[in-house]
Amino acid sequence: MKHSTPPRVGFVSLGCPKALVDSERILTQLRAEGYAISPTYNQADLVVVNTCGFIDSAIQESLDAIGEALDENGRVIVTGCLGADSEKVLSAYPNVLAVTGAHAYEAVMHSVHEHLPPLHDPYTDLVPPQGIRLTPRHYAYLKISEGCNHRCSFCIIPHLRGDLVSRPIGDVMQEAENLVNAGVKELLVISQDTSAYGIDTKYRTGFWKGRPLKTHSQQLAEALGELGVWVRLHYVYPYPHVDKLLPLMAEGKILPYLDIPFQHASPKILKDMRRPAHAEKVLERLSQWRELCPEIAVRSTFIVGFPGETEEEFETLLDFLEEAQLDRVGAFAYSPVEGAPANQLANPVPEEVKEERLERFMELQAEISANKLSSLMGKTLEILIDEVGEDLSIGRSYRDAPEIDGQVIIEGEELPVGEFVKVMITHADEHDLWGELV
């Protein structure tokens, strides 16, 4: 049984019926989450003002209402049509807690949660604040968007999930904070195209801890880097603004790890795949990234045996692999997906040729990987422990994402799962490392 008093929210609703419906929806959500609605300013813990911004007189009425709420209560969240022009609100009242636009229910609730957390009793509530998760307690996936704007010929994800829809950055940061507060030590940022985050919203400004943040991969990475945990970026397309993430990696704000699905290196095959990439530019960028952050680990995925791939084009891919010297690589033989445009391309590659090329590809990468890992021998790495057995602990370095990359094995030690330890590397093979506790 809860003994604490429910937090109380005052509410001022201005404007047209559409705004009234917005207010009803926010009030419904507040009540569903256990908030009480206060009829007076002085009994409220904070006040939400749903504004109108249609004509000058409505704007003035909204500004007056915000001013009154600040005078009477002092803790005010502004939403609604006038909130779409956040500069107008903030220039008049810079001390409001947050500003959101019209029908921004999630953003309003995020701001309320941030400044007036709901009651939560882990003994009586069925769902913990970080939600129900299927990953171990010490790492979690943080999804920042749905859908994809690319139209790769081998993929049907846009058909299944639609175009890119970015989550409000305030919601993403609140979820990340909840996860860290629940004991998560590593956040794995995922989407179909992480570097495209915010393109669909024109990089709209949101709020976290009362400060403005653009819905943009760089500002998201900067904010996540303040949480004091490992932050790993997956599925990053090599857009120019990715270069701006490298200083964050070099400074230790986010992990020096990039997961970039290159898919191929032949210009013709990339064109047939409808991929936005040029192999020679990629090699140049890789070189620049390694100059900026020498310890960066780059993982990628490739498709061999794509329709129309000649032996010469496959050799181009092998040459790229040799020159790129990627740290972690996954590959698979092309397999038709129902509904994918690539199925209509001429000159499908025979199955036995696909398999033979896949084998040659993986042999070359195994050699590259073994050389890369052997260069780590004698070095000390920070390791996050994932599992423990009898006289054995298994973890990962910054170079390894869970379940897809390699592991670091520490023999003779049974260490706590979810803890960071320092390990000196003593042995390496093509995929994994062995080491001793420092």
Side-chain angles (χ1 to χ4, degrees):
M1 183 178 170
K2 293 179 185 177
H3 300 286
S4 304
T5 307
R8 298 175 70 85
V9 177
F11 208 101
V12 178
S13 184
L14 305 171
C16 65
K18 290 193 288 293
L20 183 68
V21 172
D22 290 347
S23 296
E24 289 171 347
R25 182 165 174 182
I26 295 166
L27 287 164
T28 301
Q29 187 65 30
L30 286 166
R31 289 304 307 272
E33 294 186 12
Y35 289 91
I37 307 304
S38 171
T40 62
Y41 287 125
N42 60 2
Q43 292 179 329
D45 296 305
L46 62 74
V47 177
V48 176
V49 180
N50 190 6
T51 60
C52 179
F54 184 55
I55 55 175
D56 287 346
S57 60
I59 291 170
Q60 192 54 53
E61 183 187 10
S62 294
L63 289 170
D64 290 345
I66 296 166
E68 183 181 331
L70 280 169
D71 289 341
E72 297 290 334
N73 181 276
R75 288 165 52 80
V76 177
I77 291 169
V78 177
T79 187
C81 293
L82 183 60
D85 187 355
S86 58
E87 287 180 13
K88 185 171 284 185
V89 176
L90 290 168
S91 62
Y93 302 108
N95 53 338
V96 296
L97 298 176
V99 184
T100 73
H103 53 258
Y105 317 114
E106 290 183 350
V108 173
M109 291 308 301
H110 163 72
S111 298
V112 173
H113 293 156
E114 183 180 328
H115 297 286
L116 185 64
L119 283 180
H120 180 80
D121 185 339
Y123 295 102
T124 58
D125 292 355
L126 294 174
V127 181
Q130 73 274 16
I132 304 297
R133 302 205 338 270
L134 300 175
T135 49
R137 184 173 180 269
H138 62 284
Y139 70 81
Y141 293 97
L142 183 67
K143 184 159 69 171
I144 62 172
S145 64
E146 286 284 3
C148 185
N149 288 345
H150 298 291
R151 292 296 182 266
C152 302
S153 62
F154 54 81
C155 180
I156 60 167
I157 282 173
H159 173 70
L160 298 175
R161 291 181 175 263
D163 288 338
L164 176 75
V165 179
S166 300
R167 291 180 61 198
I169 193 164
D171 291 3
V172 173
M173 288 305 304
Q174 184 62 55
E175 182 181 339
E177 204 171 6
N178 289 347
L179 290 166
V180 172
N181 290 339
V184 164
K185 304 288 181 68
E186 177 181 14
L187 294 168
L188 300 109
V189 178
I190 57 167
S191 65
Q192 297 303 326
D193 178 0
T194 294
S195 34
Y197 179 59
I199 283 176
D200 55 312
T201 68
K202 296 184 171 61
Y203 305 119
R204 180 186 298 138
T205 299
F207 286 85
W208 177 57
K209 292 187 177 296
R211 81 175 204 241
L213 283 179
K214 284 194 182 301
T215 308
H216 188 282
S217 57
Q218 183 187 347
Q219 293 212 0
L220 176 65
E222 287 169 357
L224 291 171
E226 296 173 21
L227 297 178
V229 297
W230 276 6
V231 176
R232 188 183 300 278
L233 301 182
H234 283 284
Y235 319 130
V236 176
Y237 279 66
Y239 299 136
H241 67 251
V242 171
D243 295 350
K244 293 179 181 172
L245 298 173
L246 271 292
L248 298 175
M249 295 178 180
E251 292 162 18
K253 300 286 177 58
I254 63 175
L255 291 182
Y257 177 101
L258 276 179
D259 177 359
I260 302 178
F262 292 127
Q263 306 298 14
H264 213 280
S266 154
K268 179 192 176 296
I269 297 297
L270 286 168
K271 187 178 178 184
D272 288 347
M273 288 179 167
R274 301 182 194 162
R275 295 289 291 178
H278 303 282
E280 62 280 0
K281 286 186 182 174
V282 165
L283 291 168
E284 197 179 303
R285 298 279 293 291
L286 281 168
S287 176
Q288 290 168 357
W289 294 343
R290 286 166 176 153
E291 278 178 33
L292 288 166
C293 183
E295 66 270 29
I296 189 169
V298 182
R299 120 169 291 280
S300 191
T301 49
F302 294 88
I303 298 172
V304 303
F306 191 77
E309 182 190 66
T310 62
E311 179 61 26
E312 186 183 357
E313 282 154 354
F314 177 66
E315 290 287 349
T316 298
L317 176 56
L318 294 183
D319 290 344
F320 172 84
L321 202 60
E322 185 79 67
E323 198 166 342
Q325 292 287 304
L326 302 174
D327 298 86
R328 299 295 190 186
V329 169
F332 52 93
Y334 173 76
S335 176
V337 177
E338 189 178 343
N343 300 343
Q344 311 306 317
L345 291 171
N347 304 315
V349 177
E351 287 301 321
E352 62 274 17
V353 176
K354 286 184 200 172
E355 292 305 322
E356 183 263 343
R357 286 179 184 171
L358 181 61
E359 199 173 315
R360 283 161 61 197
F361 180 99
M362 293 314 295
E363 273 177 18
L364 174 57
Q365 180 55 35
E367 194 181 305
I368 293 167
S369 179
N371 289 336
K372 284 258 181 186
L373 293 177
S374 66
S375 72
L376 296 170
M377 290 201 302
K379 293 189 175 175
T380 297
L381 297 176
E382 186 173 41
I383 305 301
L384 180 57
I385 301 299
D386 280 337
E387 53 184 294
V388 63
E390 192 175 334
D391 213 28
L392 180 80
S393 297
I394 300 173
R396 291 175 292 110
S397 75
Y398 76 88
R399 303 165 55 83
D400 308 303
E403 299 184 350
I404 56 172
D405 293 329
Q407 298 176 318
V408 181
I409 297 144
I410 307 137
E411 293 174 325
E413 303 281 354
E414 295 183 15
L415 301 165
V417 170
E419 291 301 311
F420 288 106
V421 294
K422 297 283 189 192
V423 172
M424 189 179 78
I425 304 305
T426 57
H427 176 65
D429 68 9
E430 295 166 2
H431 304 290
D432 300 319
L433 297 169
W434 282 257
E436 296 171 352
L437 206 58
V438 173

